[in-house]
Amino acid sequence: MDAEHHPDYPPTTPPPPKRPVQPPLPTPQPKTSAVAVRGQHRMSMVNRRAANWTLDAAPWAAGKAQTNVIEQLHTWGHRSIDAMAGDVTKLLVGTAAADGGRRVSLHLAYQKHQALIVVLSHRSGLAVTNESVLPEIAALGASSCGADTAEDGRRLWVVLDL
């Protein structure tokens, strides 16, 4: 027997694999049908300048929205309708905030010398709108206005000529 033989310390281990083990590939999910996609009601404005803001449904939201819309119209080079755009925005956001939801979405779009202002209340199950709101909006100088409801809440909109 060899007296000078010593065991290897630490014992030899096999080398690690060259490629880490990959998790299994996900199974393909079936494509959704057109009927399932149609159930999602989302607003979209395409091929035009647009801006949007989300605000808390609080008493200060109408004033903040008014400032945001006027500043954005100035950025786009329109200063002549500050008072009308501000008043309409304040009325729309104030009406949507009174619906009792937690937030209000404000969307502004511009195309062919017209501005579209849309406000969503994000509270479903509401009636279309109070009947006095649309005549108030029209009296402020809107070229057209309207209201509707969807799964995402009440939607009020106004088109202003610039």
Side-chain angles (χ1 to χ4, degrees):
M1 212 184 285
D2 189 6
E4 303 222 4
H5 178 262
H6 298 287
D8 293 339
Y9 190 79
T12 57
T13 57
K18 292 183 180 181
R19 292 180 70 192
V21 177
Q22 295 181 350
L25 296 173
T27 57
Q29 299 293 325
K31 293 184 178 182
T32 58
S33 67
V35 174
V37 174
R38 204 176 300 142
Q40 297 176 354
H41 296 283
R42 297 207 182 254
M43 188 181 79
S44 64
M45 293 182 279
V46 294
N47 299 327
R48 64 199 67 186
R49 291 179 175 176
N52 58 58
W53 302 269
T54 302
L55 305 164
D56 291 334
W60 55 263
K64 178 67 175 168
Q66 180 182 26
T67 303
N68 289 342
V69 166
I70 291 171
E71 286 177 358
Q72 187 63 50
L73 288 172
H74 286 185
T75 302
W76 292 337
H78 299 285
R79 297 180 182 272
S80 61
I81 63 160
D82 288 356
M84 182 173 45
D87 293 344
V88 166
T89 302
K90 201 169 189 176
L91 179 60
L92 291 176
V93 173
T95 302
D99 287 345
R102 294 187 320 179
R103 64 187 169 104
V104 173
S105 295
L106 170 64
H107 303 268
L108 173 66
Y110 166 75
Q111 183 180 20
K112 295 182 181 177
H113 304 289
Q114 288 186 320
L116 169 68
I117 303 171
V118 181
V119 177
L120 292 106
S121 68
H122 296 286
R123 182 159 182 242
S124 58
L126 298 170
V128 175
T129 189
N130 181 347
E131 293 194 23
S132 66
V133 173
L134 296 179
E136 279 185 68
I137 294 169
L140 291 173
S143 60
S144 64
C145 60
D148 65 353
T149 58
E151 290 179 13
D152 57 349
R154 184 186 338 238
R155 184 180 1 230
L156 299 163
W157 58 269
V158 174
V159 175
L160 303 174
D161 292 325
L162 300 177

